[in-house]
Amino acid sequence: MSLGLYLHIPYCLARCRYCDFYSRGGQKEVPDAYVAALLREMERICNCDCTALRPDTLYFGGGTPSLLRPDQAAALIRAAAPVPEGEVTLEANPETVDPAKLEGFRQAGVNRLSLGVQTADDESLARLGRPHTAAQSRQALAWARQAGFANISGDIMLALPRYTREEFDRTLDLLAEGGCTHISAYLLKIEPGTAFARHTPEGLPDPDEAADFYLYAVEQLAAAGYRQYEISNFARPGYEGQHNLLYWDCQDYLGLGPAAHSCLNRKRFYWPGDTRAFIEGTARPVEDGGCDGEDYIMLRLRLTQGLDEEELARRFSVRLNERQRAFWRRCQQAGYAQPGEGPLRLTPAGLIIQNSILTELLA
């Protein structure tokens, strides 16, 4: 089994209006005390030097991990000791980087950058609460290439208030021209507890319009050379995100930091969302059930590669029953699932309504 290590950096310059991830706004840097807490937990869980759990991938997520100093990132990478040539990803926001910082991250061992661009429209960025501009995104991508990053992912958020296909086209052009080898394209979702949930913005597309934007994005990304391999992820050949692929294949992953989730040996656990307790060492992981065949079905059906029924049986001793097979045939007839034998795979139209399909399939 492979292992992915996720390090949560819960600090941001400002909270975006749509964001429901655990983070603290109004921060300009990551305290050394927090980095020390991550190092402490790596030492405690990984038996002092992480040789027992040496990760195949390392992912700095947030929050805004690019608020780290390069020397802080270097200390964490050294302690994690990922396998040689292992994927080391750091999420970054355009307004938090400059040439020296990006060069420092590259020298520290980061070999994949994930840039939160979202849109090339400055008015949309302001509505989202993003503190950067399209020009800053363009500049950050140029600096990343100059620093030696050959593996760059860019985020696009779809179906924003007053969204148009032209806005998507401009954003895709910005990312493609900026050298992105991977693109994550997400539909905006209004999550409970966010600023958008309290004050819903005007001009949101309805569900049918949002679905049309998604299908348009799939077509345009394919035409630009980005192959879809997961509901929201597209890559040039060979640049698929290896860390997230571990999640979607029910491989082991260890998350450190407040609100970070883990699954080791099919047992799930998470850290409480309390930064102070994590720093002080008083927080402890909370058990959260196990990973079973249903999880594997749900996760594999996110992938265009689909679900191999023999692998499902081998790993989890689970097989689809006749009711489930009949339902899948109806999905094929309706155009939501790929026709024919072999792995069970959803079409782009099916991926949009994956949750509804899973609800019926796993009922």
Side-chain angles (χ1 to χ4, degrees), residues 120-297:
D121 187 277
D122 286 348
E123 290 185 8
S124 286
L125 287 166
R127 280 193 290 269
L128 293 172
R130 303 289 294 188
H132 70 272
T133 63
Q136 286 176 300
S137 294
R138 199 170 284 108
Q139 182 66 81
L141 286 167
W143 286 337
R145 296 195 309 276
Q146 292 168 14
F149 284 99
N151 193 350
I152 305 173
S153 180
D155 289 349
I156 297 179
M157 189 163 281
L158 308 171
L160 302 176
R162 305 187 182 96
Y163 203 62
T164 64
R165 290 185 174 189
E166 289 73 23
E167 181 173 344
F168 172 84
D169 293 342
R170 291 196 302 274
T171 308
L172 176 55
D173 287 346
L174 188 157
L175 295 179
E177 292 168 4
C180 285
T181 52
H182 182 283
I183 291 177
S184 296
Y186 300 92
L187 287 167
L188 173 64
K189 185 178 179 183
I190 307 299
E191 300 286 0
T194 63
F196 272 180
R198 293 188 292 272
H199 304 286
T200 304
E202 296 180 357
L204 280 174
D206 64 32
D208 288 340
E209 291 170 331
D212 287 341
F213 282 127
Y214 174 83
L215 294 174
Y216 178 77
V218 171
E219 292 175 358
Q220 297 306 112
L221 284 159
Y226 297 94
R227 184 185 68 88
Q228 183 177 28
Y229 68 98
E230 191 267 345
I231 291 176
S232 301
N233 286 278
F234 307 77
R236 299 199 186 281
Y239 288 96
E240 295 80 5
Q242 297 305 304
H243 184 81
N244 283 347
L245 281 170
L246 295 180
Y247 296 159
W248 299 320
D249 195 43
C250 281
Q251 302 282 343
D252 284 350
Y253 57 92
L254 172 65
L256 297 179
H261 286 249
S262 305
C263 184
L264 295 177
N265 298 319
R266 297 189 183 174
K267 295 181 180 178
R268 298 186 186 278
F269 55 94
Y270 64 91
W271 290 88
D274 188 331
T275 301
R276 176 179 292 182
F278 184 80
I279 291 174
E280 293 174 349
T282 57
R284 282 294 174 264
V286 178
E287 293 183 6
D288 193 30
C291 178
D292 58 20
E294 285 199 0
D295 293 300
Y296 188 70
I297 292 170

